């Protein structure tokens, strides 16, 4: 991971963590505020609802009052008291109930017996078991002819109470607490009102050991204004809690897996005049609005956070680029310097540490360049000195015998002619050999000094290697055409060098001078053979790389020390007893002219491998 | 002299309406409104106008000649022969023949007939039975055995019954019955009887009060109210028996249960409140006025004894079927409440739709004012085809007692049948079973 990526990651993580922390805090707080507000709203709605419910009770009481105060009822009451004959008023309650829009109405005579009943006409003559309560309204479960019972909100009024009557006629009227009643109750948007009734009916059939008094929660008994309440079973715990405690209870109910289907539910136990819980009224207020608002805010928060993080990443990218750019430039410049381009210069754009570093870098490269120039000059001088020394040494060798021979000749002039002729013959022979030697030395020096420019052409490396192999590998089919070739073959055979080659089957095209390349390769092969006087292995390898062709010449000779490796390509440096020391220098010069490079890998007694790298042909 | 002449004239003028009132006139349309479907035999109003029986009830309740001019029995009432009235035609012009009578009687009584065989012999019909039929003439006067012919129609109209009665049914709504000009008993006074069916009692009374109806029904429980409203009411003696039929199979096969049911019913509440004291509490099948011994059947409720008789026997919920009119349903609800106190669970249902009936609240009509045929008729109504041979009060009592002791029929009340009429209607009489005899009715304003 580079510096820019590290900086980017660091900045991004920092910003993301900060944004996440802020967002989480904000969201939690928003949720708390919403919940609080939701509960306050719920409490407000519930109290409003309770007032409405109370208002309905008042309406029932008012309706019964109106009926009780009507002339018709007063006349009936009067007649009942006077005559005791209730028969004519059998259907009176039904008519009164219809007129008063009540679901229940009973006329109870002075003797406490039902005179007329709207909800159960056949019950005339039976005692009305309602306790004479002093409440304006009360809840009661009323039995019906079909065997069922209905919960109702009742009011009771006396009619025609006077001093002469010990017990007056009573009117007991009420409205049924059913879905119609619930539908009439004003419900705020999102509010659902339901009634759970018949608490004491149908003892548990699944758990008969619990006895008849234990009533299992039956979702079908929870009705709303539209019939059975959906997801009624979710209300079980709330309703049971209200029944057990006898107090208003509220809770948040999750009706489905979706949070927006949750409701804030309040269970209000409805009690009779004796305090028995007859039913439980549930008021549920949908939390979908609140949840949706929360989700909306959350979505915005996420969006803003995501946007912020993206913006932060973009800024981080820019910052990282701004910070790491100069450093990367410095790094690239350092690489270029390492690659040899010492004249690399980095721009100095700031005055901070990075700018200081750039200035220092530029100063360093300038120093390196000047030092290199000085070094080159020094090396050049050293090379000239070495060349002069070597030349002087090389020339001195043949010149000394020349001098001796000439002195010998001068001395031999004093000898008789036959001895002078012999001495003259020997001396002229020696002179000729040494002069030839001098010519050779001067010729090699001349060759080294004037290396020809390469004649570049597209060629396959395998061709160059095959040509070298044909020349130096024994057993390859070729007919030696020169004495030198023959001697070379004999030398190779005598040296018992095991030659092998490893070529890639791929084409390895390069742009090179075939002759110069052959010369360089020949030189390396000869050096390898010379390095294995007692035999060994000589291996020629060639393989394509990404953009270059690599040629390896390996031997298993004595190997080279690191110091020898460093000086190997210096002109006139040689490890041989014989030789000019120009061979590898020439090889290096040839390779260099072909824009390639040559290195050596070697350790003492581990042979040596010369590695030539040449660029692939671009044509 | 002058004064005497003036007084005479005055008296004559005052007497004129009286003279005019007592003399019926032909013509006019009698408008009748009924609550039910008047074509059903149980009501019989329209049937009585369209058809005749071999016999008919006289004012004393005894059978009188109708389509049969005379009859005779032989072999201890095992064989009866009825001679037909000559020159009588059905509405479609076909003559009344003994074969037609046999076909009509056969169709009217597919099963459980009082006779074994019917024969057309010349201008007479011979009816034979394996058991004595002492009350056959009275029986043949009932609505069930009115003589009719099934007219297949001309394809444009559905098949219908064709009778020989004083009126002929014209198609369409409301039901229009046109006077039969060639009626053997003499043309009716009114030209047409217009019957509106399925009218509520309240609407009937409203129409009566505004002059849109001439004859409307007055249910027994509303008699007092009708009188309070000063309607002109014509009421019969108690001729309708309100009774509770108890099935003796399956759940109630145990006679103790039926006895408990009989002891649990509260007749007084039904009579005093539901039927507004217009009913006559009874535990006997025949009214006291007919027999004189109905007091021998106790009518009081004994809930304790009901519990005692019932013991610890448990029964599944029972169904009590009653007609779908409010009064019958209310009576059924009351009976259900009574039985609930005795430990029975009863569910009240509509008789028309109930598939299973453990109990049924019935209204049985007293067809005759003679004890013997009346008892036989009631027994036949509840599916007991036993002829009542006894003609002494003791014998009839014994027979009634034996039957009632099975507690498959629990008599509750006797109720009258009543009608309210407009000022136009004159000479309305009711038959012994309470059916209005409209053939004898004339209208005040007919010319």
């Amino acid at each position: 991971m580079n510096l820019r990526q590290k900086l980017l990651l660091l900045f991004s993580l920092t910003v993301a963590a900060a944004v996440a922390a802020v967002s989480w805090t904000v969201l939690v707080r928003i949720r708390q505020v919403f919940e609080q507000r939701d509960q306050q709203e719920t409490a407000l709605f519930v109290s409003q609802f309770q007032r409405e419910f109370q208002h309905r009770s008042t309406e029932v009481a008012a309706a019964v009052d109106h009926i009780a105060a009507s002339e018709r009822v007063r006349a009936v009451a009067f007649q009942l008291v006077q005559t005791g004959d209730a028969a004519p008023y059998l259907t009176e309650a039904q008519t009164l109930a219809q007129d008063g829009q009540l679901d229940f109405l009973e006329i109870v005579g002075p003797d406490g017996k039902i005179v007329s009943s709207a909800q159960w006409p056949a019950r005339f003559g039976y005692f009305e078991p309602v306790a004479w309560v002093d409440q304006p309204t009360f809840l009661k479960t009323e039995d019906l002819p079909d065997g069922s019972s209905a919960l109702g909100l009742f009011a009771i009024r006396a009619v025609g109470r006077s001093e002469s009557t010990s017990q007056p006629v009573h009117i007991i009227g009420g409205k049924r607490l059913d879905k119609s009643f619930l539908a009439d109750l004003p419900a705020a948007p999102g509010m659902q009102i339901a009634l759970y009734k018949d608490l004491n009916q149908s003892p548990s059939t699944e758990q008969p050991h619990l006895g008849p008094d234990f009533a299992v929660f039956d979702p079908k008994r929870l009705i709303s204004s539209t019939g059975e309440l959906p997801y009624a079973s979710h209300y079980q715990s709330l309703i049971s809690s209200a029944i057990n405690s006898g107090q208003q209870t509220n809770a948040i109910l999750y009706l489905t897996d979706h949070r927006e289907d949750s409701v804030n539910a309040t269970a209000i136990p409805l009690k009779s005049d004796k305090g028995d819980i007859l039913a439980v009224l549930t008021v549920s207020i949908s939390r979908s609005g609140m949840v949706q608002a929360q989700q909306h805010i959350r979505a915005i928060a996420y969006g803003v956070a995501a946007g912020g993080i993206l913006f932060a990443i973009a800024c981080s990218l820019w910052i990282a680029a701004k910070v790491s750019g100069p450093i990367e430039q410095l790094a690239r410049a350092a690489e270029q310097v390492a690659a040899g381009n010492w004249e690399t210069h980095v721009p100095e754009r700031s005055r901070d540490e990075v700018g200081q570093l750039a200035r220092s870098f530029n100063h360093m490269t300038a120093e390196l360049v000047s030092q290199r120039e000085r070094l080159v000059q020094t090396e050049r001088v050293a090379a000239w000195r070495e060349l002069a020394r070597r030349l002087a040494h090389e020339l001195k060798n043949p010149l000394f015998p020349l001098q001796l021979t000439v002195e010998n000749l001068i001395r031999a002039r004093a000898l008789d002619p036959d001895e002078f002729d012999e001495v003259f013959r020997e001396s002229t022979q020696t002179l000729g050999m040494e002069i030839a030697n001098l010519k050779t030395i001067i010729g090699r020096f001349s060759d080294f000094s004037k290396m020809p420019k390469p004649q570049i052409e597209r060629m396959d490396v395998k061709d160059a290697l095959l040509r070298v192999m044909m020349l130096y590998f024994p057993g390859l089919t070729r007919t030696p055409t020169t004495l030198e070739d023959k001697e070379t073959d004999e030398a190779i055979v005598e040296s018992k060098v095991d030659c092998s080659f490893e070529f890639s089957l791929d084409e390895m095209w390069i742009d090179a001078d075939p002759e110069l390349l052959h010369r360089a390769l020949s030189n390396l092969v000869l050096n390898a053979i010379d390095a294995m006087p007692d035999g060994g292995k000589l291996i020629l390898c060639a393989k394509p790389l990404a953009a270059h062709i690599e040629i390896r010449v390996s031997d298993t000779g004595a190997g080279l020390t690191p110091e020898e490796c460093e000086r190997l390509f210096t002109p006139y440096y040689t490890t041989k007893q014989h030789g000019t020391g120009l061979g590898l220098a020439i090889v290096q010069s040839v390779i260099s002219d072909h824009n390639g490079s040559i290195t050596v890998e070697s350790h003492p007694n581990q042979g040596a491998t010369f590695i030539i790298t040449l660029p692939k042909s671009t044509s | 002299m002058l004064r005497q002449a003036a007084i005479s004239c005055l008296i004559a003028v005052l007497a004129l309406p009286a003279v005019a009132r007592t003399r019926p006139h032909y013509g006019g349309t009698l408008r009748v409104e009924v609550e039910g479907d008047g074509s059903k035999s149980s009501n019989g109003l329209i049937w009585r106008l369209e058809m005749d029986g071999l016999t008919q009830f006289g004012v004393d309740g005894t059978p009188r000649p109708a389509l049969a001019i005379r009859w005779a029995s032989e072999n201890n009432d095992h064989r009866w022969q009825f001679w037909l009235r000559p020159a009588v035609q059905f509405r479609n012009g076909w003559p009344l023949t003994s074969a037609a009578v046999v076909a009509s009687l056969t169709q009217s009584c597919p099963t459980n007939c009082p006779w074994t065989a019917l024969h057309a012999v010349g201008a007479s019909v011979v009816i034979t039975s394996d058991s004595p039929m002492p009350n056959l003439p009275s029986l043949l006067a009932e609505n069930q055995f009115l003589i009719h012919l099934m007219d297949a129609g001309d394809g444009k109209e559905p098949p219908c019954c064709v009778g020989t009665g004083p009126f002929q049914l014209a198609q369409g709504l409301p039901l229009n019955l046109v006077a039969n000009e060639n009626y053997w008993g003499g043309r009716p006074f009114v030209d047409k009887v217009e019957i509106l069916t399925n009218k509520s009692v309240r609407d009937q009374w409203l129409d009566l009060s505004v002059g849109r109806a001439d004859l409307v029904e007055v249910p027994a429980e509303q008699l007092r109210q009708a009188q309070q409203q000063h309607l002109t009411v014509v009421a019969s003696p108690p001729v309708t028996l309100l009774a509770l039929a108890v099935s003796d199979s399956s759940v109630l096969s145990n006679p103790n249960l039926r006895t408990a049911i009989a002891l649990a019913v509260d007749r007084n509440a039904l009579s005093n409140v539901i039927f507004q004291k217009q009913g006559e509490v009874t535990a006997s099948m025949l009214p006291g006025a007919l027999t004189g011994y109905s007091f021998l059947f106790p009518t009081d409720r004994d809930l304790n004894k009901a519990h005692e008789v019932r013991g610890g026997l448990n029964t599944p919920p029972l169904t009590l079927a009653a007609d779908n009119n409010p009064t019958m349903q209310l009576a059924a609800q009351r009976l259900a409440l009574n039985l609930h106190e005795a430990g029975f669970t009863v569910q009240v249902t509509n008789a028309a739709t109930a598939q299973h009936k453990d109990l049924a609240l019935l209204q049985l009509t007293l067809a005759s004012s003679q004890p013997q045929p009346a008892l036989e008729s009631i027994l036949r109504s509840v599916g007991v085809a036993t002829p009542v041979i006894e003609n002494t009060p003791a014998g009839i009592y014994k027979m009634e007692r034996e039957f009632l002791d099975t507690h498959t029929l629990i008599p509750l009340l006797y109720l009258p049948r009543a009608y309210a009429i407009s000022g136009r209607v004159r000479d309305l009489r009711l038959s012994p079973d309470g059916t209005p005899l409209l053939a004898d009715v004339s209208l005040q304003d007919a010319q």
Side-chain angles (χ1 to χ4, degrees):
Chain A
M1 190 182 286
N2 58 26
L3 178 63
R4 182 179 292 198
Q5 289 170 348
K6 284 182 186 174
L7 284 174
L8 175 64
L9 190 63
L10 192 62
F11 288 148
S12 301
L13 285 175
T14 303
V15 171
V19 168
V22 169
S23 299
W24 180 81
T25 306
V26 167
L27 287 173
V28 166
R29 186 63 192 138
I30 285 174
R31 187 167 180 167
Q32 286 173 351
V33 167
F34 267 97
E35 295 278 348
Q36 194 178 358
R37 186 147 179 213
D38 180 55
Q39 282 176 6
Q40 286 172 355
E41 249 182 35
T42 301
L44 185 66
F45 279 135
V46 168
S47 72
Q48 269 182 355
F49 171 78
Q50 283 175 320
R51 281 198 292 277
E52 276 302 323
F53 191 81
Q54 206 54 39
H55 181 64
R56 290 288 184 272
S57 306
T58 311
E59 283 181 356
V60 169
V64 174
D65 276 337
H66 181 73
I67 291 171
S70 66
E71 279 300 319
R72 182 172 176 176
V73 168
R74 291 165 75 86
V76 167
F78 178 76
Q79 288 297 324
L80 281 171
V81 169
Q82 292 295 315
T83 65
D85 182 12
Y89 311 111
L90 177 65
T91 58
E92 198 66 28
Q94 284 169 315
T95 310
L96 291 172
Q98 277 179 5
D99 293 344
Q101 295 182 336
L102 294 173
D103 299 315
F104 307 109
L105 191 80
E106 282 179 346
I107 302 174
V108 179
D111 55 357
K113 292 185 180 177
I114 297 171
V115 170
S116 177
S117 173
Q119 63 269 20
W120 199 342
R123 275 190 77 221
F124 61 88
Y126 282 84
F127 279 105
E128 174 51 62
V130 172
W132 308 119
V133 295
D134 198 17
Q135 293 178 5
T137 53
F138 57 95
L139 284 170
K140 192 168 82 76
T141 301
E142 184 71 17
D143 295 325
L144 297 176
D146 59 2
S148 65
S149 60
L151 182 66
L153 193 58
F154 288 84
I156 180 168
R157 292 291 181 273
V159 183
R161 190 189 292 271
S162 68
E163 291 176 358
S164 61
T165 57
S166 57
Q167 285 291 343
V169 169
H170 285 86
I171 302 292
I172 305 171
K175 276 204 87 80
R176 197 168 188 157
L177 259 58
D178 57 3
K179 57 182 184 180
S180 304
F181 180 85
L182 298 177
D184 281 343
L185 291 171
M191 181 190 281
Q192 183 140 43
I193 305 161
L195 182 70
Y196 184 74
K197 52 181 186 170
D198 304 330
L199 294 183
N200 296 323
Q201 279 189 3
S202 64
S204 170
T205 54
E206 295 176 1
Q207 297 175 305
H209 63 279
L210 292 173
D213 293 333
F214 185 85
V216 176
F217 180 83
D218 183 2
K220 290 181 184 172
R221 289 196 215 139
L222 185 61
I223 58 163
S224 69
S225 58
T226 54
E228 279 185 31
L229 188 68
Y231 309 109
S233 57
H234 290 75
Y235 288 79
Q236 179 176 352
S237 59
L238 178 70
I239 290 173
S240 300
S241 174
I243 292 172
N244 292 335
S245 66
Q247 304 290 331
Q248 181 173 315
T249 311
N250 72 322
I252 295 174
L253 303 178
Y254 294 91
L255 302 181
T256 66
D257 294 335
H258 299 106
R259 200 163 154 256
E260 52 266 22
D261 292 334
S262 61
V263 294
N264 211 328
T266 303
I268 305 168
L270 302 178
K271 300 178 182 175
S272 68
D273 55 303
K274 291 175 187 160
D276 301 324
I277 296 175
L278 300 177
V280 177
L281 196 67
T282 64
V283 180
S284 310
I285 297 170
S286 173
R287 301 169 83 233
S288 66
M290 182 201 78
V291 168
Q292 283 172 1
Q294 278 186 0
Q295 287 175 342
H296 183 65
I297 291 172
R298 186 180 294 126
I300 293 175
Y302 286 155
V304 169
I309 290 172
L310 287 174
F311 178 71
I313 290 173
C315 289
S316 301
L317 275 171
W318 182 78
I319 293 169
K322 287 289 282 186
V323 171
S324 67
I327 299 173
E328 286 169 358
Q329 274 183 334
L330 277 168
R332 281 193 295 276
E335 283 176 4
Q336 286 192 356
V337 167
N341 184 12
W342 289 12
E343 294 176 355
T344 302
H345 181 82
V346 293
E348 300 165 14
R349 293 197 182 97
S350 62
R351 295 182 183 179
D352 57 10
E353 290 83 348
V354 175
Q356 180 66 32
L357 185 62
R359 280 192 291 279
S360 301
F361 181 83
N362 291 335
H363 179 68
M364 179 193 74
T365 53
E367 284 293 313
L368 280 174
V369 166
S370 67
Q371 281 186 8
R372 184 181 61 174
E373 286 172 356
R374 284 196 293 276
L375 183 65
V376 165
Q377 272 189 345
T378 305
E379 282 190 351
R380 194 173 291 147
V381 169
W384 277 113
R385 283 186 182 162
E386 178 69 16
L387 179 66
R389 188 188 67 79
R390 292 288 296 188
L391 195 60
H393 175 70
E394 290 293 325
L395 287 177
K396 189 172 70 175
N397 284 341
L399 283 177
F400 186 69
L402 277 175
Q403 184 184 356
L404 286 178
T405 304
V406 168
E407 288 177 353
N408 217 14
L409 272 175
I410 294 171
R411 279 196 300 273
R413 197 150 180 253
L415 298 172
D416 50 2
D418 292 331
E419 288 180 4
F420 178 76
D421 286 341
E422 190 178 342
V423 171
F424 182 80
R425 236 190 348 271
E426 287 179 3
S427 297
T428 53
Q429 195 177 1
T430 303
L431 281 173
M433 284 173 54
E434 295 301 330
I435 289 169
N437 200 14
L438 276 171
K439 280 175 77 177
T440 302
I441 291 169
I442 291 167
R444 285 184 180 169
F445 180 75
S446 174
D447 285 342
F448 178 69
S449 69
K450 48 176 181 170
M451 286 293 293
K453 285 193 73 172
Q455 301 297 313
I456 302 297
E457 65 184 61
R458 193 164 183 261
M459 59 172 289
D460 195 336
V461 164
K462 288 196 289 291
D463 294 336
L465 290 171
L466 280 171
R467 188 178 165 190
V468 170
M469 283 160 53
M470 293 283 284
L471 197 58
Y472 297 104
F473 279 24
L476 291 179
T477 306
R478 87 178 166 94
T479 303
T481 55
T482 61
L483 179 63
E484 193 178 28
D485 290 342
K486 186 177 177 185
E487 289 175 351
T488 302
D489 286 351
E490 289 171 354
I492 290 171
V493 170
E494 279 185 15
S495 68
K496 300 176 186 174
V497 174
D498 181 17
C499 301
S500 63
F501 61 90
E502 293 173 11
F503 292 164
S504 168
L505 294 177
D506 298 331
E507 289 177 342
M508 295 180 280
W509 295 98
I510 57 174
D511 295 324
D513 186 330
E515 290 302 321
L516 289 177
L517 189 62
H518 172 73
R519 189 171 169 180
L521 292 172
S522 298
N523 213 318
L524 289 175
V525 167
L526 285 171
N527 282 347
I529 294 169
D530 287 341
M532 296 180 288
D534 297 326
K537 282 189 181 176
L538 169 66
I539 305 170
L540 271 184
C541 299
K543 66 177 181 182
L545 300 178
H548 295 81
I549 306 294
E550 185 184 86
I551 304 169
R552 286 174 175 255
V553 181
S554 305
D555 66 72
T556 57
L560 299 165
T561 64
E563 294 76 18
E564 289 170 342
C565 289
E566 281 182 15
R567 301 182 66 189
L568 204 60
F569 296 99
T570 305
Y572 294 108
Y573 177 80
T574 181
T575 58
K576 301 179 193 175
Q577 289 185 352
H578 304 287
T580 59
L582 292 175
L584 287 179
I586 293 172
V587 170
Q588 188 183 50
S589 175
V590 168
I591 299 302
S592 179
D593 288 342
H594 286 79
N595 298 316
S597 65
I598 181 167
T599 56
V600 60
E601 290 175 359
S602 179
H603 293 283
N605 303 315
Q606 291 182 18
T609 299
F610 286 87
I611 304 167
I612 298 173
T613 309
L614 294 170
K616 284 185 178 177
S617 173
T618 55
S619 56
Chain B
M1 179 103 175
L2 214 61
R3 188 195 280 179
Q4 283 179 347
I7 290 169
S8 301
C9 287
L10 185 61
I11 291 170
V13 166
L14 288 173
L16 262 174
V19 169
R21 200 156 41 99
T22 58
R23 192 174 171 189
H25 293 273
Y26 286 92
T29 298
L30 180 68
R31 298 160 302 177
V32 178
E33 292 184 1
V34 295
E35 196 175 23
D37 183 351
S39 63
K40 289 193 177 157
S41 63
S42 59
N43 189 309
L45 182 65
I46 296 176
W47 282 36
R48 282 292 178 81
L49 295 175
E50 270 200 291
M51 292 175 264
D52 296 310
L54 286 178
T55 61
Q56 61 184 349
F57 287 112
V59 291
D60 56 355
T62 57
R64 307 295 299 274
L67 293 180
I69 52 175
R70 62 184 177 91
W71 51 85
S73 71
E74 295 173 11
N75 194 16
N76 197 23
D77 295 330
H78 280 75
R79 183 183 186 280
W80 288 81
Q81 188 166 5
F82 292 83
W83 282 267
L84 298 179
R85 186 180 298 275
V88 175
Q89 287 182 336
F90 287 97
R91 174 165 57 90
N92 60 359
W94 290 22
L96 175 71
T97 63
S98 56
V101 170
V102 166
S104 173
L105 289 176
T106 304
Q107 189 182 38
S108 300
C109 187
T111 57
N112 228 16
C113 295
W115 50 78
T116 307
L118 295 162
H119 303 282
V121 178
S124 67
V125 174
V126 174
I127 303 173
T128 58
S129 172
D130 294 334
S131 49
M133 299 178 289
N135 304 309
L136 186 60
S138 296
L139 195 66
L140 292 174
E142 294 181 8
N143 289 343
Q144 183 183 359
F145 301 114
L146 297 178
I147 305 301
H148 61 276
L149 198 65
M150 282 305 294
D151 186 356
D154 56 2
K156 293 179 186 175
E157 290 159 359
C160 63
C161 291
V162 179
T164 59
F167 290 92
Q168 302 170 6
L169 183 66
Q171 298 297 329
L173 286 170
L175 294 171
N176 280 321
L177 291 103
V178 181
N180 186 355
E181 299 290 339
N182 300 317
Y183 184 54
W184 57 268
R187 187 199 185 276
F189 287 106
V190 297
D191 291 334
K192 197 162 64 171
V193 176
E194 196 178 271
I195 302 177
L196 282 175
T197 57
N198 300 312
K199 273 275 206 178
S200 69
V201 171
R202 180 179 172 178
D203 289 342
Q204 291 177 40
W205 288 18
L206 191 64
D207 287 345
L208 184 73
S209 63
V210 298
R212 284 201 293 260
D214 297 311
L215 185 142
V216 298
E217 293 172 317
V218 178
E221 63 274 12
Q222 295 186 35
L223 258 174
R224 186 156 68 168
Q225 193 178 350
Q227 285 158 4
Q228 286 172 353
Q229 291 184 16
H230 304 292
L231 299 181
T232 305
V233 177
V234 178
S236 72
V239 294
T240 303
L241 174 64
L242 186 70
L244 187 64
V246 183
S247 168
D248 60 354
S249 62
S250 66
V251 176
L252 296 172
S253 57
N254 187 329
N256 287 343
L257 292 176
R258 298 198 299 273
T259 305
I261 289 173
L263 290 168
V265 295
D266 183 0
R267 294 175 176 82
N268 290 326
L270 291 175
S271 172
N272 293 338
V273 181
I274 294 178
F275 290 98
Q276 300 287 309
K277 300 175 184 168
Q278 300 302 314
E280 189 179 293
V281 172
T282 183
S284 62
M285 293 162 67
L286 297 177
L290 218 58
T291 62
Y293 59 67
S294 70
F295 66 93
L296 295 173
F297 295 90
T299 59
D300 292 333
R301 187 187 194 208
D302 194 341
L303 196 57
N304 291 331
K305 194 165 180 193
H307 279 289
E308 188 185 316
V309 169
R310 183 168 173 268
L313 292 169
N314 285 325
T315 55
L318 305 174
T319 53
L320 168 54
D323 287 342
N324 201 27
N325 77 64
T327 305
M328 290 297 281
Q329 286 287 313
L330 179 60
Q333 291 284 351
R334 183 66 182 197
L335 288 170
L337 208 52
N338 293 157
L339 296 180
H340 179 73
E341 292 181 293
F344 295 94
T345 303
V346 179
Q347 182 74 31
V348 176
T349 59
N350 183 355
T353 57
Q355 293 181 349
H356 172 67
K357 308 171 191 176
D358 297 307
L359 305 162
L361 189 62
L362 305 175
Q363 283 182 305
L364 307 171
T365 304
L366 210 62
S368 170
S369 56
Q370 301 297 314
Q372 211 176 342
L375 182 61
E376 185 171 325
S377 173
I378 289 176
L379 288 172
R380 187 175 302 284
S381 300
V382 295
V384 178
T386 306
V388 176
I389 302 169
E390 300 291 336
N391 57 3
T392 63
I396 295 172
Y397 167 77
K398 184 183 172 196
M399 192 170 184
E400 192 174 337
R401 168 63 75 182
E402 280 174 3
F403 176 75
L404 288 177
D405 282 346
T406 64
H407 295 118
T408 53
L409 187 71
I410 303 171
L412 300 171
L413 298 176
Y414 256 108
L415 298 165
R417 290 177 70 180
Y419 299 88
I421 55 175
S422 68
R424 298 171 70 207
V425 176
R426 293 176 58 185
D427 301 323
L428 175 68
R429 290 184 298 115
L430 302 181
S431 66
D433 65 354
T435 306
L437 298 171
L438 299 182
D440 299 331
V441 167
S442 63
L443 296 173
Q444 175 79 16
D445 51 8
Q447 298 299 324

